[in-house]
Amino acid sequence: MHDTKFIPLKKLPSKAERHKLFGSVLPVPRTKPVEKNQMADLQNTKKDFLFDLDAVGIANVKHPITVSSELLPNKQSSIATISFSTSLNKTSKGTNMSRFTEQLSSYYRQGAFEAEWQTLKRFAKELAERLDQQDATIELKFPWFFERRGPQSDLAGLNHTDITMEVNYDASNGYTLKASLSALITTLCPCSKEISEYSAHNQRGVVTIEIELNETITSEERDWKAMLLEAAESNASARIHPVLKRPDEKMVTEQAYENPRFVEDMVRLVAADVYEMEMVEKFRVSCRNEESIHMHDAIASVTYDKRNENQR
């Protein structure tokens, strides 16, 4: 095969001429300062700007993180979507947005950014001090992967849940720690099982557990992610598996038939497990079933604050 040489059919304008053709213009004379200490600093303007702001900051920041767990894999890399914010009083025009990502980069340069409570608490406090504010909040959202084996074949694959971690630091009131986990489960309809001559319809559901934690979590002695996951999955008709051979499928199907659950049953059973966790002060459990024989989804939720018990 002979090499062929490309011969253009026409001569194009130069690249500079092409840019000009499509709208590029010459730069105008520069008159404004280029040194930072000589530039206007509008966000630090001090006047009466009418209202205090609950929150100001940046959102949708994608950043690599390291996640530890008592489930395999014990340590993994993930990508978090991060939000940072602080309050702002009415005498300040704005906040310094660059300091949010500047601090994130500083943490990353010191090593992998760990998605764990002590790191996030330290980050929030330092961020408030860097911004010269009384409070700061950091929120991470990321997928957490965990190994799941077939009940009979023992073949392993990876499932995942969606995790949220939020830390608010307040110079007067200390820390507020919040978290959530959303897990997929299988539910089999008790009514369908009761009225049918054979079989029963089942569906995939998603259980979401939102919690507010007390300081006992900071010891990191238990993996709170694994605890919430177990609360969601162990109360379902059956667990979701990434790899199922025929003997596995038989076991999972029969287990679901032996453990029928309404969506109302799910939130009450999961709530009971979460209620018994000492680290949890307040929680909300919700479930959404994608019904297999209805056009609609079935939903239920329960919210409970254990701190109200001490006030009775």
Side-chain angles (χ1 to χ4, degrees):
M1 184 175 179
H2 298 288
D3 293 334
T4 58
K5 184 177 181 181
F6 173 71
I7 301 176
L9 297 179
K10 60 180 179 179
K11 181 174 177 60
L12 298 176
S14 68
K15 191 163 186 176
E17 291 170 331
R18 296 198 296 268
H19 283 190
K20 183 178 180 181
L21 176 65
F22 285 93
S24 295
V25 296
L26 294 174
V28 299
R30 273 28 178 183
T31 59
K32 294 186 177 181
V34 295
E35 298 295 332
K36 180 181 177 181
N37 59 2
Q38 298 176 355
M39 293 179 177
D41 189 2
L42 294 181
Q43 67 264 28
N44 282 326
T45 303
K46 302 297 182 183
K47 288 182 181 179
D48 185 344
F49 291 104
L50 306 181
F51 296 100
D52 295 332
L53 301 184
D54 298 326
V56 58
I58 61 175
N60 201 30
V61 178
K62 298 290 193 299
H63 200 275
I65 59 171
T66 299
V67 184
S68 299
S69 172
E70 66 185 39
L71 302 182
L72 294 175
N74 299 128
K75 191 173 286 288
Q76 63 189 263
S77 297
S78 191
I79 301 294
T81 301
I82 309 177
S83 299
F84 310 91
S85 63
T86 183
S87 63
L88 193 70
N89 61 45
K90 65 180 182 179
T91 59
S92 297
K93 183 174 181 61
T95 189
N96 194 319
M97 299 288 186
S98 65
R99 293 182 183 176
F100 295 101
T101 50
E102 182 182 7
Q103 180 163 318
L104 180 62
S105 297
S106 174
Y107 267 61
Y108 184 69
R109 287 195 302 271
Q110 296 171 23
F113 190 65
E114 298 276 353
E116 55 92 21
W117 295 112
Q118 294 291 3
T119 297
L120 298 186
K121 288 174 65 178
R122 185 171 69 254
F123 189 101
K125 184 176 186 296
E126 291 178 4
L127 182 60
E129 294 169 350
R130 180 187 289 263
L131 295 169
D132 195 24
Q133 297 294 331
Q134 293 298 301
D135 64 272
T137 299
I138 177 172
E139 179 191 72
L140 276 65
K141 296 182 178 180
F142 57 92
W144 166 52
F145 291 85
F146 59 94
E147 184 179 282
R148 170 60 46 75
R149 292 182 176 272
Q152 180 66 33
S153 67
D154 203 40
L155 293 176
L158 288 179
N159 278 4
H160 79 276
T161 70
D162 294 324
I163 297 290
T164 299
M165 299 177 68
E166 178 185 316
V167 172
N168 171 264
Y169 167 73
D170 185 283
S172 300
N173 301 315
Y175 295 94
T176 302
L177 280 60
K178 298 180 180 180
S180 71
L181 174 145
S182 294
L184 294 175
I185 48 95
T186 294
T187 58
L188 183 137
C189 178
C191 184
S192 177
K193 177 181 177 180
E194 182 67 24
I195 66 178
S196 301
E197 295 293 342
Y198 47 85
S199 188
H201 80 85
N202 56 24
Q203 51 272 320
R204 181 184 298 170
V206 56
V207 174
T208 300
I209 307 172
E210 302 165 79
I211 57 174
E212 188 170 324
L213 304 111
N214 56 43
E215 288 298 304
T216 61
I217 189 64
T218 59
S219 64
E220 309 287 349
E221 293 175 357
R222 287 295 313 277
D223 183 1
W224 63 272
K225 302 183 299 301
M227 294 172 68
L228 296 186
L229 178 65
E230 180 65 12
E233 293 189 322
S234 64
N235 289 297
S237 298
R239 299 175 192 253
I240 300 289
H241 294 75
V243 181
L244 283 177
K245 306 299 286 185
R246 278 175 293 173
D248 299 316
E249 188 170 348
K250 171 181 167 61
M251 292 186 66
V252 171
T253 302
E254 291 174 348
Q255 180 190 10
Y257 195 78
E258 294 164 354
N259 296 277
R261 298 284 190 267
F262 285 127
V263 69
E264 298 94 329
D265 303 330
M266 280 301 306
V267 297
R268 286 170 170 149
L269 287 169
V270 174
D273 282 5
V274 178
Y275 176 83
E276 293 179 334
M277 297 178 186
E278 293 184 5
M279 65 182 182
V280 176
E281 292 189 334
K282 181 180 179 180
F283 62 85
R284 182 177 188 270
V285 177
S286 60
C287 183
R288 178 182 292 271
N289 283 346
E290 298 178 351
E291 296 290 299
S292 60
I293 65 170
H294 302 288
M295 287 293 291
H296 56 256
D297 291 351
I299 62 171
S301 66
V302 57
T303 302
Y304 195 87
D305 191 337
K306 292 193 287 187
R307 292 168 296 193
N308 291 338
E309 296 177 348
N310 299 325
Q311 300 172 7
R312 294 174 184 171

